[in-house]
Amino acid sequence: MNVADSQRLASALEQLEYEPTRLPDNADVIVLNTCVVRQSAEDKAIGRLSSLKPLKERNPNLVINLMGCLIGVRGNQKILERFPWVDVVSPPSDPSPLLHYLIERTAKQTSQIAQAQVNAILDGDPILPRADQGKLISAFVPIVYGCSHACTYCIIPHKRGVERSRSYVEILREVNSLAQQGVKEVTLLGQIVDRYGLDLPERPTLAMLLHDLHKIEGLSRIRFLTSHPNWMTDELLDAVQELPKVCPHIEVPIQSGDDTILQAMRRGYSVAFYRDLIGKIRQRIPQVAIATDIIVGFPGETREQFTNTYNLLTGLRMDVAHLARYSPRTGTYSARLLADDVSETEKMRRFRALETLQEEIANEINTRLLGQTITVLFEAQKRGRWRGRTPTNKLVFVETSENLLGREEPVTIEWAGPWSLIGSLQA
Ligand code: SAH
């Protein structure tokens, strides 16, 4: 989501005639787009923010914009008092405060004229930042902002605000425009992406959107993430199965393999429900790859409860598991009311146990691909190797002197590890 937000901001800045620079020392404007989903992300953001102070002291004209979840939809006065070298703050997904500030300050426009210019820039067709033009093969497109679910551990609804689906036609227009600019793949984003449209008067669904996006010429792949188990309809699964451009790749987090913990997290489903859902997804979309998220060390999680998660993951054989150690976030229900009582050492032990398990599972799943020929969409070249992904989102590297940028090519898999594959183009 932040990558998408930053891209949109970069493009808007270019429309104000700014251009990117590699060195912070050369910058007139620095934007720090932040995440606070776990303490580690927040610490990183604060560290970066602190490192900007000397730059501002050397160059008082430098404009520093703090954006994203460190600010949140309701603002964050304390942060401004603590870091007075910040000039402008922007909530997540909103480039307008910085644009407004720059127009008022550098073009010396009144606030009203500045606002009209900001609106004109943000309402126009999205233009890729110059650095991405002709190079960006895969783009992120937010379709649902915010989140209205109340998982007890999660800070996102507090920082990104209530769930807001974007207009159907606006999304179609944006993806059309991206495809015309050379983008081959879009990933539709939402905290609960499968709830797309439920807050819109016409009640469009994600499945309907997939059908319409599928018609866009030039676009070859469509993905969406993240799904919540309770909102994955048969209509959605059928769309994934029926539409060739929609990748057989589902990200649907479970978070814990224990019913008591799931209840304490207020996830709204049971382990049995999730297991059935995975069975149904695999039955309807036989070639599917499924990813999940898991939090270890949630308040009160006993060794037995963790073992339930371990055993579930052993049985489910997921392609990917994003693992996290529970991190209490100020303002959430769990941070206020539940003691963070699993020690850091124990959280790490559980994390490592799942990591080792998942590595074996992913290795086994990927090894089955050896010798198979799979269509890979190539995105970038690094140190003589081309990087691409299979429809199931597996990373593939190919060594070749050919220019593969944006091309979909059949690749024969010759080496498989847990996190990536190596193959060669068919002769
Ligand atoms: N809305 C999506 C993604 C949320 S953030 C969802 O509900 O799945 C991505 C992941 O971060 C979550 O899936 C969860 O596993 C993890 N996460 C969120 N809050 C956390 C916290 N307080 N501590 C540790 N991990 C957390």
Side-chain angles (χ1 to χ4, degrees), residues 37-38 147 151 153-156 190-192 226-228 253 255 267 293-295 322-329 332 334:
V37 72
R38 286 182 284 275
C147 182
C151 302
Y153 52 83
C154 191
I155 192 73
I156 294 175
Q191 297 303 332
I192 303 187
T226 300
S227 298
H228 185 288
Q255 310 297 5
R267 286 290 291 175
D293 295 11
I294 289 172
I295 300 174
H322 306 289
L323 308 174
R325 288 166 283 155
Y326 171 72
S327 168
R329 312 283 49 224
T332 59
S334 67

Side-chain angles (χ1 to χ4, degrees), residues 65-87:
N65 174 211
L66 184 60
M67 184 178 182
C69 285
L70 210 47
I71 299 303
V73 280
R74 285 193 294 269
N76 183 345
Q77 204 52 45
K78 268 196 228 136
I79 277 283
L80 282 180
E81 284 158 17
R82 202 172 139 202
F83 302 99
W85 54 93
V86 171
D87 299 283

Side-chain angles (χ1 to χ4, degrees), residues 269-303:
Y269 51 80
S270 64
V271 173
F273 176 86
Y274 186 84
R275 204 188 273 116
D276 288 350
L277 175 68
I278 299 303
K280 184 164 87 175
I281 296 173
R282 286 178 170 153
Q283 191 194 350
R284 291 196 178 229
I285 314 165
Q287 69 285 39
V288 74
I290 311 180
T292 195
D293 295 11
I294 289 172
I295 300 174
V296 298
F298 185 81
E301 187 187 64
T302 62
R303 287 200 170 210

Side-chain angles (χ1 to χ4, degrees), residues 65-344:
N65 174 211
L66 184 60
M67 184 178 182
C69 285
L70 210 47
I71 299 303
V73 280
R74 285 193 294 269
N76 183 345
Q77 204 52 45
K78 268 196 228 136
I79 277 283
L80 282 180
E81 284 158 17
R82 202 172 139 202
F83 302 99
W85 54 93
V86 171
D87 299 283
V88 200
V89 295
S90 314
S93 307
D94 185 4
S96 56
L98 175 64
L99 303 180
H100 194 116
Y101 181 89
L102 292 175
I103 294 170
E104 265 194 327
R105 186 179 126 126
T106 46
K108 305 243 182 316
Q109 298 291 7
T110 65
S111 179
Q112 232 178 352
I113 294 178
Q115 196 52 51
Q117 288 186 11
V118 171
N119 293 347
I121 291 174
L122 296 179
D123 292 345
D125 262 355
I127 305 167
L128 284 179
R130 263 185 293 263
D132 289 331
Q133 283 172 19
K135 292 198 195 100
L136 188 77
I137 300 307
S138 177
F140 291 115
V141 177
I143 66 167
V144 187
Y145 291 121
C147 182
S148 297
H149 214 280
C151 302
T152 53
Y153 52 83
C154 191
I155 192 73
I156 294 175
H158 304 258
K159 295 297 177 183
R160 289 191 172 266
V162 295
E163 178 176 81
R164 287 107 59 209
S165 295
R166 279 178 76 192
S167 113
Y168 199 83
V169 287
E170 196 181 299
I171 298 166
L172 287 183
R173 199 186 65 171
E174 176 162 333
V175 177
N176 246 309
S177 153
L178 289 171
Q180 276 167 24
Q181 294 171 73
V183 166
K184 300 282 179 220
E185 173 183 278
V186 289
T187 301
L188 310 175
L189 302 178
Q191 297 303 332
I192 303 187
V193 73
D194 43 345
R195 277 183 54 86
Y196 174 75
L198 288 173
D199 57 330
L200 294 175
E202 313 79 28
R203 290 277 182 139
T205 61
L206 177 56
M208 288 161 64
L209 187 62
L210 293 175
H211 276 273
D212 278 325
L213 291 174
H214 194 266
K215 297 175 194 148
I216 293 176
E217 224 172 291
L219 191 69
S220 46
R221 288 184 176 183
I222 307 166
R223 304 177 191 274
F224 56 89
L225 53 93
T226 300
S227 298
H228 185 288
N230 290 6
W231 306 96
M232 299 215 74
T233 59
D234 292 352
E235 185 205 18
L236 177 61
L237 300 181
D238 288 345
V240 177
Q241 174 57 18
E242 281 162 25
L243 300 170
K245 290 182 183 178
V246 177
C247 295
H249 162 208
I250 302 280
E251 304 249 351
V252 61
I254 181 153
Q255 310 297 5
S256 164
D258 181 86
D259 281 336
T260 308
I261 296 294
L262 282 178
Q263 251 167 31
M265 289 175 161
R266 288 221 196 102
R267 286 290 291 175
Y269 51 80
S270 64
V271 173
F273 176 86
Y274 186 84
R275 204 188 273 116
D276 288 350
L277 175 68
I278 299 303
K280 184 164 87 175
I281 296 173
R282 286 178 170 153
Q283 191 194 350
R284 291 196 178 229
I285 314 165
Q287 69 285 39
V288 74
I290 311 180
T292 195
D293 295 11
I294 289 172
I295 300 174
V296 298
F298 185 81
E301 187 187 64
T302 62
R303 287 200 170 210
E304 291 69 36
Q305 288 168 334
F306 167 72
T307 305
N308 288 339
T309 300
Y310 187 93
N311 292 341
L312 182 81
L313 201 59
T314 309
L316 282 181
R317 320 304 290 171
M318 301 302 234
D319 291 77
V320 173
H322 306 289
L323 308 174
R325 288 166 283 155
Y326 171 72
S327 168
R329 312 283 49 224
T330 309
T332 59
Y333 178 95
S334 67
R336 255 183 298 132
L337 295 171
L338 308 174
D340 180 17
D341 54 3
V342 180
S343 71
E344 284 310 310

